[in-house]
Amino acid sequence: MLNRANGFQLTLGDPVDRIKGKSSATLSLKHGLTKKESQIMNTRFACSLITLLGVLTLKPAAYATFHFMQIEQIIGSVAGDTAAQAIQLRMRAAGENFVSGGKLVVFDAAGLNPITIVDPVTNVANGAVGDHVLIASATFPSHTMPAAVPDFTMANLIPASYFAAGSLCWESNAGTIFWRLSWGGAAYTGSNLGNTANDLDGNFGPPFGGAIPSSCASALQFQGSATDFSTNNAADYLLIGSPIVFLNNAAASFTVIPPPPTFTITAPDPSASEVPATDTGKFRITRMGCTDSDLSVFDTIGGTATNGVDYRRLRGNATIRSGRPSVTITLRPIDDTISEPDETAILTLSPNANYIIGSPSTATVTIHSNE
């Protein structure tokens, strides 16, 4: 019922949301209008009704306020801390901030054993195209600068056993999958299917070819723009390294700061002799943490033996190559004619801003004379 100031009365026989699709609607105009005025009113009303029906036709279904969403970025751990996880969603359309209608669910390598990562009970404030939603673990903010302020805290972590292969889905509370990110290549044998709202054929496969990294600071990131559909996970996603930046719904940015690796030194072969020449000693420097780049470590050389005189000169530094957890330094005694007691070569790790010195930080090799 709509009352006008000039006194006429408009009655709709069906609720507005039921007008769409009907062959006719029961309408009556009650007023002492002239025939011409009635025709004008009928024309205006018809135009208004057509406009309303157009709006209703374009209006998405009830889930449309959260379903046009990408899983834009995911990090499974920071430098081995598998409790430091974050997932960043991105809106493909305006008005997608009513995220209480959706949830994030992760599946294992067979597409089974679902675990709900987060099931928001509130919405976020901003809903423009490209706006983000940040879901993070309680530990994640301690690994970012500044400390991350997520929109939602994970109720459950992605299990480390799912890192090799699995599938993460943004879905409705009723279970309709609107975006799927699977990883592990052929090791993932579960479903790649989902709704066609964000992937035109409803198939998000094949999966991304690799695992979710756990030893360094790497994120799996969607390479398309905010309005892009999914093509397939293998083509759409790429592992990225530093700087890794996450954004929340307020557009605040948080850069992941992985802790520097920790170095220790040992002597797996702590004894060497002047003769035979093959009787060498060995030091081993080991790093714990990220191994995705070359890194030099420095040491001071001490002991009763003289560097370059009693053994071949050691440089006081070594480089651990990318992908390797350690480097071995070989101590080669020099055979002389001097009768002398056992002597020692001691290597001690030196401080540096690029790493942390762990324990043990000193190692000793003993040199035996043949005279």
Side-chain angles (χ1 to χ4, degrees):
M1 182 80 68
L2 181 63
N3 293 317
R4 292 294 190 186
N6 63 2
F8 71 83
Q9 185 180 69
L10 176 64
T11 303
L12 273 66
D14 290 85
V16 170
D17 61 357
R18 293 177 56 195
I19 292 176
K20 181 186 174 185
K22 293 180 68 68
S23 59
S24 63
T26 304
L27 305 172
S28 61
L29 292 172
K30 299 178 181 179
H31 195 276
L33 299 177
T34 66
K35 182 177 180 180
K36 182 177 181 180
E37 288 173 332
S38 295
Q39 290 174 340
I40 293 173
M41 288 302 303
N42 287 338
T43 301
R44 289 177 177 176
F45 178 75
C47 292
S48 299
L49 182 57
I50 290 170
T51 301
L52 176 59
L53 291 176
V55 170
L56 289 172
T57 301
L58 293 173
K59 179 179 174 57
Y63 55 68
T65 51
F66 69 89
H67 78 303
F68 287 126
M69 192 80 74
Q70 300 165 343
I71 299 177
E72 184 186 13
Q73 188 167 239
I74 175 176
I75 190 167
S77 68
V78 180
D81 182 0
T82 57
Q85 301 182 358
I87 300 164
Q88 180 175 294
L89 305 179
R90 182 168 64 173
M91 301 177 193
R92 294 189 58 240
E96 299 295 302
N97 52 308
F98 293 87
V99 293
S100 60
K103 59 184 177 179
L104 278 169
V105 180
V106 68
F107 299 84
D108 66 12
L112 304 174
N113 300 307
I115 296 172
T116 299
I117 302 301
V118 68
D119 187 357
V121 296
T122 58
N123 301 313
V124 291
N126 300 306
V129 175
D131 277 347
H132 300 89
V133 182
L134 179 59
I135 300 99
S137 66
T139 303
F140 181 72
S142 66
H143 292 280
T144 66
M145 184 65 67
V149 181
D151 300 298
F152 301 100
T153 300
M154 289 181 172
N156 296 291
L157 297 173
I158 301 171
S161 60
Y162 288 21
F163 285 3
S167 188
L168 179 67
C169 297
W170 174 246
E171 58 184 59
S172 72
N173 288 329
T176 301
I177 295 171
F178 293 115
W179 192 281
R180 180 191 286 274
L181 165 58
S182 302
W183 59 88
Y188 176 72
T189 59
S191 174
N192 289 299
L193 301 180
N195 189 272
T196 57
N198 296 304
D199 190 294
L200 295 178
D201 65 0
N203 188 345
F204 291 81
F208 174 74
I212 294 179
S214 58
S215 62
C216 300
S218 300
L220 193 55
Q221 186 185 76
F222 181 70
Q223 296 300 291
S225 68
T227 57
D228 281 351
F229 285 84
S230 161
T231 303
N232 64 73
N233 295 157
D236 291 340
Y237 285 87
L238 184 69
L239 278 178
I240 63 166
S242 297
I244 299 171
V245 179
F246 281 83
L247 298 103
N248 66 10
N249 188 248
S253 61
F254 312 102
T255 302
V256 176
I257 307 295
T262 297
F263 282 100
T264 59
I265 187 169
T266 58
D269 184 355
S271 179
S273 300
E274 291 180 354
V275 177
T278 55
D279 188 4
T280 60
K282 288 183 172 59
F283 297 97
R284 180 171 295 150
I285 300 175
T286 302
R287 63 175 165 183
M288 291 169 286
C290 188
T291 61
D292 66 348
S293 62
D294 291 355
L295 188 60
S296 294
V297 60
F298 301 89
D299 58 78
T300 58
I301 303 169
T304 57
T306 302
N307 187 19
V309 176
D310 294 305
Y311 52 89
R312 294 184 185 178
R313 178 168 294 280
L314 300 179
R315 297 178 301 164
N317 66 80
T319 299
I320 301 181
R321 297 300 179 186
S322 175
R324 297 182 178 273
S326 63
V327 62
T328 298
I329 300 170
T330 301
L331 184 138
R332 304 179 186 278
I334 296 174
D335 184 16
D336 55 28
T337 59
I338 303 171
S339 179
E340 51 196 350
D342 289 350
E343 296 178 296
T344 58
I346 302 174
L347 266 59
T348 302
L349 297 178
S350 300
N352 188 274
N354 292 322
Y355 55 80
I356 297 169
I357 297 175
S359 179
S361 60
T362 297
T364 302
V365 170
T366 300
I367 303 172
H368 304 287
S369 175
N370 66 323
E371 277 78 28

